[in-house]
Each structure stands twice: as C-alpha cells, then as structure tokens.
Amino acid sequence: MRDNIVAGNWKMNNDYSQTKKLINDLKSSKIPEDVRIMVAPSFTQLSQCKNLLNSTNISVVAQNMNANNSGAFTGEISASMLKGIEVNIVIIGHSERRSIFNETDEILKEKVKSALSADMEVIFCFGEELKERKNNDYFKIVNNQLRNVLFDLPESCWKNIILAYEPVWAIGTGETATANQAQEMHLYVRNLIRDNYSEATSENISILYGGSVKPSNAKEIFLGKDVDGGLIGGASLNANDFIEIFSAF
Ligand code: 13P
C-alpha cells in the first residue's frame, strides 16, 4: 500500500525565529496517523527543525543537494552531510531549480543516484510549463522528464522514490490544476511506471500534486484516486493553512 504524504516546501522562507514558531504551532496540532507529514526548510534551519520535531512523526526534508560526496564545491551540501544530521529525504528536480539554477536532466539524474546510494528518499518533481499545456504537449514533456532521469534505475530503487507532479503554470500563481487535470496526469504517470517496471511498483509509488494547493481546494484534489497527497509551497508557511491541508484527507 502506498503512503499518503503532505510535504511543505518552505523554499527560501522562514528565519530562525519564524521556523521555531511555525514548528511549535504544527506540533500543537492533531497530527493524523494515516498521513506522512513533512517540512522542507532551508539548509540553515534543518538542524533546528530536527531538534524541535524529535519524537514527533513529522519528517524533515532538504530542498536540494549536490551529487558529489565532498570536495571543492563552494556553497553546496552533500547527501552524507544531510544524513549526518539525520535528514533522510531530499527534494530533487523542483521547477525553480530547473529554471532558475539551470539544472538539467543530466544533473538531476546524478543527484538522484547520489541520494539513493546514500539510502535517502527522493521527492522527484516534474511538470510542464504553460505553453506545453496549451500545446497539448504535457504528457510528452512529463514522459521525457521521468524517462531521462528515473527510468534507468533498477526497480529496487523505486521504494525510495516519491513523485511530485508540479505543473509550472500552477506554482505560486494561485491557479491550480483542476482535480481532473491532476488525476489525469497522475494516472498517466502511474501507468508509465507500470509499463516500465511492474504493476506492484506502480501501485506502491506515492504521487503528490503541487501547485497552489490551499485549504479551499486540498480536499477535492486529494480525492483523486491516483493523487496521494501534496507538495505545498506558500500555504505551508501558515500553520493553520498547512494543518487544514494535511487534515483534508
Ligand atoms: P505553491 O503551493 O506556492 O504554488 O508552490 C508549490 C511548490 O512549488 C511546492 O514545491
């Protein structure tokens, strides 16, 4: 059976005191037992989050990592550094990393391999841009993004992969994919995994939706049969909104 997951991607937000307040507010809420809750703070707040969330079942996730283990890569962080502070999950392939920091499929492939060989879980993001949606190219784009980065991996790796469909046109825009558009893509992706691997692997993989999820639309989106949760940006910065979203299952 696959996990339901709601993860908050804080992006470059929340300093030390904002992090402390937000985490303490989350801790005082009722955490559902059937949903994995995750927060992805900036690198500088990972340790604080780990400490504050010790003895809860909210997981701490890194937003990025470098594919190399160590060396002359100023400003970068490796999988072993994350593992050293018991951060065992990392987001790879976010559209902001692709578009602002020029991360190509080749770079993402190396990062995924590095994270998996360090025994980390990977939340792998993919999704089409607006013009690709309008041109009806979105299945092809998503197919390529997954094929180029993930489909060479041995099947045994897939137990450590979580997918996040994030149509770029819905990120931070207030415009959300409809529940039908999300479900349609998630089913397409699950079928791709079945065709490239197996029915069992496709049924066990959690596929999250991301892009302007908020308390008012979470329930409807999560109702999709192949939608196993969400990767939440803006709304995860507000404790009440994030709590409402992860309570929407
Ligand atoms: P928003 O929820 O702010 O649209 O961001 C989505 C996202 O990019 C999560 O990774």
Side-chain angles (χ1 to χ4, degrees):
M1 231 358 241
R2 52 185 185 258
D3 294 325
N4 289 325
I5 300 170
V6 176
N9 175 11
W10 294 358
K11 309 190 179 185
M12 199 173 74
N13 294 294
N14 286 337
D15 63 15
Y16 182 87
S17 53
Q18 291 166 321
T19 297
K20 191 169 181 180
K21 171 152 188 5
L22 180 47
I23 294 291
N24 282 331
D25 287 347
L26 295 180
K27 277 171 70 174
S28 60
S29 72
K30 190 172 173 307
I31 308 291
E33 277 172 17
D34 50 350
V35 185
R36 287 178 74 190
I37 313 292
M38 304 179 180
V39 290
S42 63
F43 285 133
T44 55
Q45 304 310 325
L46 286 171
S47 286
Q48 183 185 199
C49 286
K50 282 297 298 182
N51 292 338
L52 290 171
L53 291 170
N54 186 16
S55 80
T56 74
N57 50 9
I58 302 179
S59 305
V60 180
V61 175
Q63 296 177 16
N64 181 32
M65 55 168 265
N66 190 280
N68 295 284
N69 285 330
S70 61
F73 303 101
T74 301
E76 294 293 284
I77 306 273
S78 69
S80 62
M81 291 171 173
L82 295 172
K83 293 279 292 190
I85 54 166
E86 290 170 18
V87 171
N88 300 318
I89 313 171
V90 61
I91 297 172
I92 293 179
H94 193 280
S95 70
E96 287 147 21
R97 300 297 317 172
R98 294 173 190 260
S99 65
I100 305 171
F101 301 100
N102 302 319
E103 293 192 2
T104 60
D105 287 347
E106 291 70 35
I107 291 172
L108 299 177
K109 189 170 180 172
E110 291 310 307
K111 289 189 180 203
V112 168
K113 280 201 290 191
S114 174
L116 293 174
S117 57
D119 208 22
M120 296 185 76
E121 272 186 288
V122 171
I123 302 176
F124 182 75
C125 304
F126 59 92
E128 80 283 357
E129 293 179 14
L130 184 58
K131 64 176 183 307
E132 296 158 345
R133 165 79 36 188
K134 286 194 166 151
N135 292 341
N136 280 325
D137 281 339
Y138 46 102
F139 289 131
K140 191 175 88 198
I141 294 293
V142 162
N143 189 332
N144 284 338
Q145 288 173 334
L146 295 174
R147 186 168 305 282
N148 291 345
V149 180
L150 299 180
F151 285 173
D152 287 342
L153 292 170
E155 186 157 7
S156 59
C157 287
W158 279 77
K159 64 179 188 316
N160 282 336
I161 294 177
I162 297 160
L163 294 177
Y165 170 52
E166 297 210 311
V168 179
W169 47 273
I171 296 178
T173 58
E175 190 176 343
T176 321
T178 64
N180 283 343
Q181 285 172 323
Q183 166 57 25
E184 178 189 42
M185 180 59 86
H186 286 222
L187 177 61
Y188 172 76
V189 168
R190 201 176 301 287
N191 287 340
L192 265 186
I193 296 164
R194 182 197 60 202
D195 296 346
N196 281 277
Y197 290 94
S198 66
E199 179 83 29
T201 292
S202 75
E203 285 300 322
N204 286 333
I205 185 108
S206 297
I207 310 177
L208 317 184
Y209 168 79
S212 299
V213 178
K214 30 189 187 272
S216 59
N217 59 23
K219 200 171 193 82
E220 195 189 355
I221 292 171
F222 295 164
L223 275 177
K225 196 174 144 304
D226 292 283
V227 179
D228 308 307
L231 184 54
I232 320 299
S236 71
L237 301 174
N238 177 296
N240 289 338
D241 285 355
F242 191 53
I243 292 163
E244 251 192 85
I245 291 169
F246 66 61
S247 306
F249 268 102

